[in-house]
């Protein structure tokens, strides 16, 4: 079933969040996403291939990403690879999840400040 | 490269190819390519531990993907007596038609035929006293985005390049369909069959060549189905 309401995806699965975050910067292929997540997390999060492709499949089915028909310039392209990009729904879900996480951090900070005062 | 890594790459490729066809239809051969590419790197960086993790990931995901596929298939199988299949004729007086420069048809019929991935829908009727038929439309109900092309895989006039269509079955009585290009919605609609299976309400709205449109058609099932040999 297609969940067209972005709120229905929250809280976003960790793997999904990392993948969507990579695709904010533009289209990316499986290898690129894997390396990007690894680098972004200082090597703490490694999306192994089967987990990565399982997540990509479900993100496509949920309508958060699509396979891109556009190819990079031939000198930068690897013909074997499939490229993925965010949909508008995917971007919206990512925004909402980011806001949710920000709110949680803000809440935690406020509680810590309150504890420090008392 | 050591022969050990070569053997592991071959093994990885073989196991990756045993993933269900539904998985491979979406991911292509991306999994085996990525696995093969990443394998020497993992061996170099993490040695045996990394290889165990790499294959464990594959081994754990394989039954999960099969289970997921079986559950989807079981869901489809339990949807007995497909409520959409058959021929439907429009109740013009109960329908709304808001399509710029296109007159409301005097008669309209739809026929749903089940396919492996969903339905083939054929719509025809009478407009301005002339018999007309719409281009047959394939509706997939697995939620996947597919290029919006005609049944022969050719572009449809008036449909922007890169447009994708999708559909899903939210319950046994309802189909949700849509089309979009670059995240912009071109059309969205539902087909809903009444609880008694006699009425089909089709809603569709979007932006066509001549501007926004909205259509709500109420259909009645044609009994007996004129396309099914009787007796």
């Amino acid at each position: 079933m297609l969940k067209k309401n972005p709120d229905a995806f929250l809280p976003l699965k960790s793997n999904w969040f990392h993948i969507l975050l990579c695709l904010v910067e533009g289209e990316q292929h499986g290898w690129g996403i894997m390396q990007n997540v690894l680098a972004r997390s200082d090597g703490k999060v490694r999306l192994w291939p089967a987990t990565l492709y399982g997540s990509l499949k479900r993100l496509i089915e949920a309508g958060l990403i699509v396979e891109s028909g556009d190819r990079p310039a031939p000198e930068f392209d690897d013909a074997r690879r499939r490229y993925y990009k965010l949909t508008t729904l995917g971007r919206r879900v990512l925004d909402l999840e980011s806001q949710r996480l920000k709110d949680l951090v803000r809440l935690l900070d406020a509680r810590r400040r309150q504890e420090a005062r008392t | 490269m050591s022969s050990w890594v070569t053997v592991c790459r071959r093994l990885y490729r073989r196991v990756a190819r045993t993933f269900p066809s539904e998985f491979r239809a979406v991911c292509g051969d991306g999994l085996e390519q990525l696995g093969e590419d990443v394998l020497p790197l993992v061996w170099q960086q993490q040695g045996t531990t990394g290889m165990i993790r790499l294959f464990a990931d594959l081994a754990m995901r394989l039954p999960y993907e099969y289970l997921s596929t079986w559950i989807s298939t079981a869901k489809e199988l339990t949807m007995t007596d497909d409520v959409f299949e058959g021929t439907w004729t429009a109740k013009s007086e109960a329908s709304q038609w808001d399509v710029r420069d296109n007159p409301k048809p005097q008669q309209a019929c739809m026929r749903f035929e089940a396919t492996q991935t969903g339905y083939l829908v054929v719509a025809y009727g009478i407009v301005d006293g002339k018999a007309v038929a719409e281009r047959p439309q394939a509706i997939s109900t697995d939620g996947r985005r597919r290029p919006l092309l005609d049944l022969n895989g050719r572009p449809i006039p008036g449909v922007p390049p890169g447009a994708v269509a999708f559909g899903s079955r939210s319950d046994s009585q309802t189909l949700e369909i849509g089309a979009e290009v670059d995240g912009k919605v071109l059309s969205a609609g539902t087909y809903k069959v009444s609880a008694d299976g006699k009425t089909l309400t089709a809603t569709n709205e979007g932006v066509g060549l001549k501007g926004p449109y909205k259509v709500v058609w109420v259909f009645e099932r044609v009994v007996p189905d004129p396309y099914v040999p009787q007796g």
Side-chain angles (χ1 to χ4, degrees):
Chain A
M1 178 183 172
L2 287 176
K3 293 183 200 171
K4 295 306 278 185
N5 177 11
D7 290 311
F9 292 95
L10 305 187
L12 204 54
K13 290 174 191 164
S14 164
N15 289 350
W16 288 26
F17 183 69
H18 282 293
I19 294 171
L20 296 185
L21 206 55
C22 286
L23 297 178
V24 167
E25 291 159 14
E27 295 169 14
Q28 195 60 273
H29 46 64
W31 171 267
I33 294 170
M34 183 190 254
Q35 296 304 317
N36 196 322
V37 170
L38 197 63
R40 195 190 292 273
S41 64
D42 289 331
K44 292 189 186 80
V45 180
R46 182 188 280 273
L47 293 177
W48 295 94
T51 302
L52 172 64
Y53 272 97
S55 301
L56 288 175
K57 177 178 179 277
R58 275 157 192 84
L59 284 165
I60 291 172
E61 288 168 349
L64 302 190
I65 65 170
V66 284
E67 192 181 325
S68 170
D70 306 330
R71 309 291 304 194
E75 60 271 29
F76 300 115
D77 190 18
D78 180 343
R80 299 180 311 154
R81 302 200 190 280
R82 291 181 179 212
Y83 288 77
Y84 302 95
K85 64 179 178 183
L86 275 183
T87 60
T88 308
L89 177 64
R91 200 172 285 274
R92 180 84 187 109
V93 168
L94 186 60
D95 288 345
L96 286 174
E97 177 67 0
S98 304
Q99 190 57 51
R100 189 184 71 83
L101 294 173
K102 271 185 214 163
D103 292 344
L104 281 176
V105 171
R106 202 174 297 136
L107 191 73
L108 188 66
D109 285 345
R111 188 162 293 177
R112 279 187 184 150
R113 276 196 300 273
Q114 199 176 12
E115 278 172 6
R117 276 200 295 269
T118 56
Chain B
M1 192 186 310
S2 74
S3 58
W4 158 245
V5 172
T6 310
V7 170
C8 286
R9 284 178 84 170
R10 275 195 204 136
L11 182 63
Y12 196 96
R13 193 186 315 141
R14 284 196 178 184
V15 179
R17 282 181 184 165
T18 62
F19 270 64
S21 53
E22 288 77 5
F23 179 91
R24 293 173 60 78
V26 179
C27 302
D29 52 5
L31 173 60
E32 55 215 70
Q33 280 174 11
L34 184 58
E36 282 185 50
D37 289 349
V38 85
L39 200 142
L41 207 66
V42 168
W43 173 246
Q44 201 180 10
Q45 292 173 347
Q46 302 183 26
T48 311
T49 313
M51 297 298 257
I52 291 170
R53 282 182 183 168
L54 187 66
F55 278 93
D57 166 61
L58 199 62
M60 286 193 292
R61 201 79 204 183
L62 186 62
Y64 179 80
E65 291 299 338
Y66 269 103
L67 188 65
S68 163
T69 304
W70 290 335
I71 289 171
S72 304
T73 310
K75 272 186 191 167
E76 281 172 21
L77 288 175
T78 51
M79 289 178 181
T80 51
D81 298 335
D82 193 293
V83 293
F84 288 92
E85 260 196 302
T87 306
W88 303 82
T89 184
K91 290 160 70 178
S92 195
E93 68 286 355
S95 303
Q96 295 170 35
W97 181 264
D98 183 12
V99 185
R100 196 181 297 169
D101 297 339
N102 274 0
K104 186 177 181 179
Q106 289 97 46
Q107 278 184 33
C109 290
M110 286 184 90
R111 175 156 179 78
F112 278 75
E113 284 183 17
T115 65
Q116 265 194 326
T117 53
Y119 296 95
L120 179 68
V121 181
V122 182
Y124 53 94
I126 295 175
V127 180
D128 284 341
K130 291 177 188 164
V132 293
E134 278 191 6
R135 191 183 301 276
Q137 183 190 3
I139 296 180
S140 299
T141 55
D142 56 7
R144 278 185 59 200
R145 261 81 175 145
R146 290 181 169 83
L148 184 49
L149 302 168
D150 72 10
L151 294 180
N152 296 312
R154 288 189 292 253
I156 300 170
V159 173
V164 291
F166 49 89
S168 67
R169 194 164 188 153
S170 42
D171 57 57
S172 62
Q173 310 283 120
T174 312
L175 293 178
E176 294 176 1
I177 58 162
E180 61 186 28
V181 62
D182 290 330
K184 184 185 157 200
V185 176
L186 295 174
S187 68
T190 58
Y191 292 105
K192 190 165 185 63
V193 176
S194 60
D196 62 7
K198 291 179 181 170
T199 307
L200 167 70
T201 306
T203 61
N204 199 356
E205 59 184 312
V207 183
L209 286 174
K210 294 171 182 172
Y213 66 88
K214 182 172 182 182
V215 174
V216 181
W217 275 107
V218 180
F219 293 86
E220 275 181 338
R221 187 181 287 282
V222 180
V223 181
D225 190 335
Y227 293 91
V228 176
Q230 305 298 317

